[in-house]
Amino acid sequence: MNQSPSNPAPLLYGMQLPIQSQSTLYAEPWEAEAGPGELVAVARAADRAGFAYVASCDHVAVPRRLAGAMSTIWYDPVATLAYLAGVTERVRLLSHVAVVGLRHPLVTAKQYATLDHLSGGRLILGVGAGHVEEEFAAVGADFARRGAVLDESIDALRAALGADEFPVHHGKLYDFEGLGQRPRPAQERVPVWVGGSSPAAVRRAALRGDGWLPQGDPRERLPEQIALLYRIREEAGISAPLVVGAITEPLYVGTPDWHVGRRTVTGSPEAVAESLRAYRAMGVHQIQVRFRARGLSELVDQISAFGADVAPHLN
């Protein structure tokens, strides 16, 4: 994959799964009563439609002060992605994002190595610093130093998810050697995508990531962020590929007969694709899409229409 912003690679597409996280910022009303059957139907539709990945979020517990906005519905990502691995064939499985600072790296490695092993090498490990202080306090994790914790956790996970049955890591926060973990991941190298759009997160992605997962960047801000990523990597002498991501505006393929929101990209498949090609032109390699839908059947139809009618025009 050519990672140069001026000569972009083919644009891949993935999606955050509905139902498994139900923040009021993006959940549709029908998701409140949905469950495993609907989740499987969506994952299978994405698998058939050529999506590069399906993604699941991570929160251990949501404090009462945030529950009104965030809700308390947050499925465990390892359990969710492992469940969906068994009912899909090729789509990759992304944690977007695992708050790895809530757990010791060996615990995280055991969970995700097993997931990669069981899925035949379909894991993409997305990681982030987290933002809910009470969640960290409840499990005895260090919220104030979560950035430094994440930095070392990535390094420790590189070792623990590598080929060695007895991984070695000697750091300031974590120290292990001579402790074996099997099964090993099916992949020789599990991709680590770093989430976040703060200066610290962008720097972390540039220096430690195989990919970058922005959080909330509007499309007009992305070129500046992408340029910063490559500048940091160049200054550090890093030439390895970096998969640059973007979260698109909400989408609706076709002409809706209901109010889908003023920011939603709608229209013919060609028109939707034309709008999304702007991401490719600015150096984005994968887009995370989200569809407006009033129920499961409409969402599955949207996923199918995107794969069949929009995707062929993306590149």
Side-chain angles (χ1 to χ4, degrees), residues 72-86:
T72 58
I73 300 175
W74 296 82
Y75 288 30
D76 178 79
V78 178
T80 303
L81 295 174
Y83 178 68
L84 296 175

Side-chain angles (χ1 to χ4, degrees), residues 1-5 7-10 12 124 158 189-194 204-213 226 229-230 233-234 237-245 283-286:
M1 178 181 289
N2 188 326
Q3 306 297 318
S4 169
N7 184 19
L12 304 177
I124 303 170
R158 289 285 191 201
R189 179 183 174 92
V190 172
V192 177
W193 291 0
V194 178
R204 182 176 298 116
L207 296 178
R208 285 183 159 84
D210 301 306
W212 175 52
L213 294 164
I226 294 169
L229 276 170
Y230 284 104
R233 288 172 74 82
E234 182 178 2
I238 300 172
S239 59
L242 181 74
V243 179
V244 175
V284 169
H285 304 112
Q286 66 87 9

Side-chain angles (χ1 to χ4, degrees), residues 137-226:
V139 300
D142 191 341
F143 181 78
R145 298 181 63 216
R146 65 194 184 279
V149 170
L150 176 55
D151 285 343
E152 187 172 327
S153 293
I154 294 172
D155 295 342
L157 285 166
R158 289 285 191 201
L161 291 171
D164 195 341
E165 178 183 351
F166 293 88
V168 177
H169 175 79
H170 299 300
K172 294 180 180 179
L173 302 171
Y174 304 112
D175 190 281
F176 51 84
E177 183 176 3
L179 296 167
Q181 287 191 328
R182 295 184 70 183
R184 305 307 303 151
Q187 298 178 84
E188 290 186 10
R189 179 183 174 92
V190 172
V192 177
W193 291 0
V194 178
S197 292
S198 68
V202 172
R203 182 170 183 82
R204 182 176 298 116
L207 296 178
R208 285 183 159 84
D210 301 306
W212 175 52
L213 294 164
Q215 189 65 40
D217 282 299
R219 65 166 73 189
E220 58 269 18
R221 188 176 178 227
L222 281 171
E224 173 188 347
Q225 294 279 65
I226 294 169

Side-chain angles (χ1 to χ4, degrees), residues 45-78:
D47 197 29
R48 291 191 302 268
F51 279 60
Y53 64 79
V54 292
S56 181
C57 300
D58 182 25
H59 277 292
V60 169
V62 177
R64 194 178 297 274
R65 71 178 177 88
L66 296 175
M70 290 179 63
S71 90
T72 58
I73 300 175
W74 296 82
Y75 288 30
D76 178 79
V78 178

Side-chain angles (χ1 to χ4, degrees), residues 91-115:
V91 70
R92 302 201 72 174
L93 309 162
L94 168 66
S95 58
H96 189 179
V97 287
V99 185
V100 294
L102 296 174
R103 308 163 183 90
H104 191 284
L106 285 178
V107 175
T108 300
K110 168 59 72 174
Q111 294 173 314
Y112 283 100
T114 303
L115 170 57

Side-chain angles (χ1 to χ4, degrees), residues 222-306:
L222 281 171
E224 173 188 347
Q225 294 279 65
I226 294 169
L228 177 60
L229 276 170
Y230 284 104
R231 186 162 65 248
I232 293 170
R233 288 172 74 82
E234 182 178 2
E235 291 171 355
I238 300 172
S239 59
L242 181 74
V243 179
V244 175
I247 299 176
T248 74
E249 302 84 353
L251 307 179
Y252 192 93
V253 183
T255 303
D257 58 4
W258 57 288
H259 181 63
V260 294
R262 64 180 181 83
R263 290 186 62 250
T264 301
V265 175
T266 67
S268 68
E270 293 82 1
V272 173
E274 181 180 8
S275 176
L276 297 178
R277 283 198 299 269
Y279 287 102
R280 180 175 181 265
M282 65 181 71
V284 169
H285 304 112
Q286 66 87 9
I287 51 173
Q288 186 171 121
V289 300
R290 182 169 65 248
F291 302 97
R292 295 301 318 277
R294 292 162 292 183
L296 175 64
S297 61
E298 188 170 30
L299 177 56
V300 168
D301 288 346
Q302 284 289 303
I303 292 170
S304 300
F306 188 90

